[in-house]
Amino acid sequence: MTSSDNAQAGCVLAEDVRRYYLDTMGIQVWQSLENPVDDSETDVPASSDVIWQQLEQAVSSCTTCELHTSRTQTVFGVGNKSADLLIIGEAPGRDEDLQGEPFVGRAGQLLNAMLAAIGFQRDQVYIANILKCRPPNNRDPKPEEAAACHSWLQQQIELIQPEVILALGRIAAHQLLNTDQSLAALRGKQHKHAGIPLIVSYHPAYLLRKPIEKRKSWQDLKHVKFLLNSNGRST
Ligand code: SF4
């Protein structure tokens, strides 16, 4: 798929998403009598499942940045598509690239334990990354790669409409908050991305290297839990 094909697919999808939202909210789309509603099959609003399938399919064939040449497969995201909590990491690593799922391996196991500590099973939240394709040798994503991939993640956020986003690691925090502040400066505060409360914490891979920081990570998780509870939504 070329960049223009990709953009075109995004437009079609955006229209489906718009119709889905309006339908969910009980709002009927006004149509001029001079242009009567076409009741053919193509006018039926797409269901949430169909929209997710279209999005995942579009991502799997994305060639917008150079990372498509070295990936084994795209790593779309996993979990509850109506989750209150959305977790966003950096990019797929070797295990993720091979298995097609974010946060597997030792870092994934630690994330599962962190989630359990605040009362969540892994399948109760949604887990995604800034990038859908693995950077070679696990290098940091380049800004142009993160920018190229951003619309896919943004569409996932719009579909999920989480109560809280937890950004894990510097790369995710910088991309979602459009800042270059240190992780230390970003932790311990409530931020917003697209109007959604966002908390910044350490990436589990970093915590495996620096277990002493787990105590601070726990503070961040309690902050997430507090926000979910104060919104009247929790496990
Ligand atoms: Fe497309 Fe994102 Fe993969 Fe780049 S990293 S090829 S933008 S899906």
Side-chain angles (χ1 to χ4, degrees):
M1 186 184 278
T2 65
S3 298
S4 66
D5 288 341
N6 187 34
Q8 199 173 17
C11 287
V12 171
L13 194 66
E15 176 57 17
D16 280 347
V17 170
R18 188 182 73 87
R19 281 170 175 258
Y20 171 71
Y21 287 158
L22 292 173
D23 190 49
T24 303
M25 292 158 65
I27 298 171
Q28 293 183 335
V29 178
W30 180 85
Q31 185 121 4
S32 165
L33 289 175
E34 291 174 8
N35 299 296
V37 174
D38 177 0
D39 61 358
S40 67
E41 230 174 78
T42 55
D43 247 18
V44 176
S47 72
S48 172
D49 284 347
V50 170
I51 291 169
W52 275 101
Q53 282 168 14
Q54 287 177 338
L55 183 57
E56 186 160 4
Q57 202 169 22
V59 169
S60 71
S61 56
C62 177
T63 57
T64 306
C65 82
E66 65 177 10
L67 294 179
H68 80 276
T69 60
S70 53
R71 72 188 176 211
T72 303
Q73 59 193 311
T74 52
V75 179
F76 180 69
V78 70
N80 178 0
K81 296 181 175 77
S82 306
D84 292 338
L85 177 59
L86 170 61
I87 294 169
I88 301 176
E90 177 181 323
R94 187 177 63 90
D95 292 337
E96 287 81 8
D97 175 68
L98 291 173
Q99 296 183 39
E101 182 169 331
F103 285 94
V104 294
R106 289 180 64 220
Q109 286 167 12
L110 179 54
L111 176 63
N112 294 348
M114 291 160 63
L115 290 172
I118 53 169
F120 282 103
Q121 299 292 317
R122 181 180 169 96
D123 60 6
Q124 290 179 297
V125 306
Y126 196 87
I127 306 171
N129 279 315
I130 293 293
L131 291 188
K132 307 299 185 198
C133 303
R134 181 195 183 199
N137 303 314
N138 292 349
R139 64 158 169 76
D140 282 353
K142 296 177 183 172
E144 61 268 28
E145 293 162 352
C149 213
H150 182 70
S151 72
W152 298 131
L153 178 62
Q154 200 53 43
Q155 288 179 71
Q156 288 175 301
I157 294 172
E158 286 169 15
L159 285 167
I160 297 166
Q161 298 184 59
E163 294 291 323
V164 178
I165 295 173
L166 175 61
L168 294 177
R170 173 180 54 87
I171 300 287
H174 285 182
Q175 178 67 22
L176 293 167
L177 297 174
N178 193 26
T179 181
D180 59 1
Q181 285 187 279
S182 69
L183 199 76
L186 295 168
R187 278 194 55 256
K189 299 172 188 157
Q190 182 184 326
H191 307 273
K192 290 222 167 172
H193 174 78
I196 301 165
L198 183 150
I199 299 298
V200 173
S201 191
Y202 297 110
H203 194 287
Y206 174 79
L207 293 174
L208 288 171
R209 296 193 300 273
K210 290 248 181 170
I212 198 167
E213 303 288 27
K214 283 183 184 172
R215 203 151 51 91
K216 292 183 193 163
S217 167
W218 173 234
Q219 297 300 323
D220 301 332
L221 292 171
K222 285 197 291 186
H223 196 168
V224 167
K225 187 71 174 173
F226 169 79
L227 288 174
L228 289 168
N229 286 344
S230 60
N231 284 339
R233 307 270 292 271
S234 62
T235 56

